[in-house]
Amino acid sequence: MMRHEDEVVRRQRERARILALLLGAFVVLLFFITIAKTGMNW
Amino acid sequence: MPAIEMTNPAALPADWRDILALTKPRVMSLVVFTALCGLLVAPALPPLVLGFTAILCIALAAGACGALNQWYEVELDAKMRRTAKRPLPAGRMDRQSALHFGVGLAGFSVVLMGLATNWLAAVLLAASILFYVMIYTVWLKPRTPQNIVIGGGAGAFPPLIGWVAATGQVSALAILLFAIIFLWTPPHFWALSLFVRSDYAAAGIPMLPVVKGIEPTRRQVFLYSLPMAAAAIAPWPLGLAGPIYGVCAIILNFVFLVLAARVLANRSTDPAQMEPEKHLFAFSVFYLFALFTVLVADRWIA
């Protein structure tokens, strides 16, 4: 049987990892959006 | 998954799979597909990364709508077999988290759309979210059997937004793409609601077969299929699409109308014997994918 606290920590770690990946992807996306926007006359 | 010692699952932070399920990924796939088609048939294509961002924003907005819909309808979902295992009614997630997630995702998608493409696309995206959540989910769905007709407008936004994200303006073909999905929604959902009407009745949702009965619903399915077919074929005679699209649209709409006529002719009230309804529902999904695929192919091949 897994303890309640262990399950809380496991889920928090899993969510933190996914959030970090998403934030990293967002930064990369913003970089390329900036490059694309500065290269055009919008 | 290992068994855990707990009495209240909602006290746990939600599992990421449940957060993902909140966005209704299957519905999102159709939204992404139609939005992508709207973008690809536009006369001017944006840079790849901006096009990608536009589709991402539309997908995120659709996910936000799914989350807010499930947040609002948790009691209804608990009453229906089809939806009882969703994260909120099953107690795997608390309501407030779903609300925060939905509102946050909606705001993020609109702002990113405005910054990356143009603010007309962002305004349309915001309007589609508000339309789906406020007008469809909160106002119409629990009150009128015409809920699907108006609610279809929310589902019809994605190709229009895709087009506007690419061009910065609304044009005739974009409005026709909107009209096709708007008119496709009633026969699609009413075909489904005919063979799962007991679920809707149990949940107290006034779907047409529950309120008006089976025969009027079958008649409406067929009647709505007629303007839908006209809107779907219209881009060809109007010169907005070529003959590849025109011929395929005629074939697809002919099959749709034949299946709708079979629904009209069916007299069975037993869901087990509603094969015509099940066939129409299944074909209607294929129909939309095929019609939009052909439109894109016609634009790029012709």
Side-chain angles (χ1 to χ4, degrees):
Chain A
M1 288 280 258
M2 187 186 284
R3 282 176 48 239
H4 184 259
E5 290 76 18
D6 293 340
E7 177 63 8
V8 170
V9 170
R10 189 190 69 77
R11 289 192 183 191
Q12 281 174 338
R13 279 210 182 121
E14 215 170 47
R15 281 170 55 162
R17 207 171 291 138
I18 291 170
L19 197 60
L21 283 173
L22 290 176
L23 279 174
F26 180 57
V27 169
V28 173
L29 182 65
L30 276 187
F31 171 75
F32 283 110
I33 289 173
T34 308
I35 297 291
K37 295 285 280 186
T38 50
M40 54 198 292
N41 296 319
W42 277 30
Chain B
M1 187 174 283
I4 54 167
E5 293 168 3
M6 59 180 192
T7 50
N8 179 14
L12 283 169
D15 191 274
W16 67 269
R17 293 169 197 85
D18 286 331
I19 298 176
L20 185 67
L22 213 56
T23 63
K24 298 188 182 176
R26 268 174 42 190
V27 175
M28 199 195 280
S29 64
L30 192 63
V31 167
V32 165
F33 175 76
T34 55
L36 185 63
C37 290
L39 191 135
L40 289 176
V41 297
L45 274 184
L48 186 64
V49 67
L50 299 187
F52 169 81
T53 308
I55 300 302
L56 178 71
C57 290
I58 294 168
L60 294 179
C65 287
L68 292 170
N69 174 272
Q70 290 185 54
W71 162 75
Y72 187 76
E73 293 188 340
V74 61
E75 282 98 3
L76 283 178
D77 284 349
K79 291 179 193 163
M80 296 203 287
R81 255 197 325 266
R82 191 169 63 84
T83 54
K85 288 179 184 158
R86 285 177 176 173
L88 291 177
R92 298 194 303 275
M93 196 173 176
D94 69 292
R95 274 187 90 178
Q96 206 175 26
S97 298
L99 176 64
H100 292 167
F101 176 69
V103 172
L105 203 58
F108 176 78
S109 65
V110 170
V111 172
L112 185 61
M113 177 70 99
L115 293 173
T117 63
N118 58 72
W119 289 100
L120 179 58
V123 166
L124 285 172
L125 191 65
S128 71
I129 296 168
L130 290 173
F131 191 92
Y132 182 80
V133 176
M134 304 306 293
I135 298 187
Y136 173 64
T137 302
V138 176
W139 184 31
L140 293 174
K141 191 175 175 183
R143 282 178 180 80
T144 164
Q146 294 301 312
N147 50 17
I148 284 303
V149 178
I150 312 296
F157 271 103
L160 178 65
I161 299 169
W163 176 289
V164 173
T167 63
Q169 57 192 6
V170 178
S171 312
L173 185 56
I175 293 170
L176 271 177
L177 296 181
F178 180 95
I180 291 167
I181 300 184
F182 181 70
L183 293 166
W184 165 89
T185 307
H188 168 75
F189 271 107
W190 282 335
L192 169 74
S193 66
L194 277 164
F195 58 86
V196 297
R197 70 186 186 286
S198 56
D199 254 14
Y200 285 112
I205 299 174
M207 290 296 277
L208 198 60
V210 177
V211 177
K212 300 283 184 188
I214 291 174
E215 290 314 312
T217 306
R218 286 180 169 139
R219 219 167 23 247
Q220 293 294 321
V221 165
F222 184 75
L223 287 176
Y224 269 92
S225 302
L226 297 172
M228 180 207 71
I233 296 169
W236 186 30
L238 291 175
L240 302 169
I244 297 174
Y245 174 79
V247 171
C248 292
I250 287 171
I251 294 168
L252 284 166
N253 282 284
F254 176 74
V255 176
F256 197 109
L257 288 175
V258 168
L259 291 176
R262 284 185 58 218
V263 168
L264 184 65
N266 190 14
R267 289 288 168 265
S268 175
T269 55
D270 177 9
Q273 292 180 344
M274 289 192 181
E275 291 306 319
E277 285 79 1
K278 290 172 188 169
H279 287 157
L280 179 64
F281 177 71
F283 179 77
S284 66
V285 177
F286 168 78
Y287 165 91
L288 203 64
F289 271 108
L291 195 72
F292 277 67
T293 303
V294 169
L295 188 63
V296 173
D298 181 86
R299 155 87 168 79
W300 287 93
I301 295 169

